[in-house]
Amino acid sequence: LTTLKELIEIPVFATEIPSAYKTLLLSYGTIVRNNCYNRVACPVELLEPLITKLEEVPTVLDKIIILRAMENTGRPELLPTLRKIIFEEELPVKVRAVAIQALGKIARLLPV
C-alpha cells in the first residue's frame, strides 16, 4: 500500500501516462477498502492522499476520477469531504453529482 501511495504522489506519472494514473487512483480506492474492511476506523494516512489530490487537481475529469476512487473506498471518514464538495457552488454540476453518487454508495454501506 505504501508503494501505491508513493505512485499517486508522482506528478510525472500522472502527466506522462494519464490512463494508467486513472487506473491507479481507482485501484487505490479499492485497496483501501479491502485494507479497512473490518476496521471501525480506517487510518487517516490511507485516505489523506485522495483528499489532498482532490484539492490539488485542476481539471473536472481528474476531480471525477478521484471522487470515484473515494467512492471505491466505501469509508464513512470521507463523508465530510464529499459533503463539502456537494455544497461548493463554484464547482461544476457534474463534479457535485459524482460526489452525491459517492455519498450515496458510502451511506448504503454503513450499518443501520
Side-chain angles (χ1 to χ4, degrees):
L1 198 58
T2 304
T3 306
L4 277 176
K5 280 176 37 178
E6 291 169 359
L7 281 174
I8 287 174
E9 298 302 321
I10 300 174
V12 174
F13 185 61
T15 56
E16 290 183 7
I17 316 170
S19 61
Y21 188 68
K22 292 172 191 170
T23 303
L24 172 71
L25 283 171
L26 295 172
S27 299
Y28 182 78
T30 303
I31 290 170
V32 167
R33 179 181 182 156
N34 291 336
N35 261 352
C36 297
Y37 184 70
N38 288 327
R39 296 183 187 186
V40 174
C42 192
V44 77
E45 58 268 4
L46 295 180
L47 301 172
E48 192 64 37
L50 292 174
I51 296 168
T52 305
K53 281 287 176 198
L54 184 65
E55 295 168 355
E56 292 174 355
V57 296
T59 69
V60 170
L61 182 60
D62 288 340
K63 287 186 186 301
I64 289 172
I65 295 295
I66 293 169
L67 286 168
R68 293 284 186 214
M70 288 180 165
E71 179 180 344
N72 285 350
T73 69
R75 298 306 306 176
E77 293 90 341
L78 292 172
L79 293 177
T81 303
L82 293 172
R83 286 188 187 115
K84 183 178 131 187
I85 295 296
I86 291 167
F87 292 111
E88 203 168 307
E89 293 182 8
E90 300 84 38
L91 289 174
V93 173
K94 178 65 176 168
V95 172
R96 295 168 64 198
V98 172
I100 291 169
Q101 290 173 345
L103 184 91
K105 181 176 180 184
I106 292 171
R108 282 193 302 273
L109 297 173
L110 293 174
V112 178

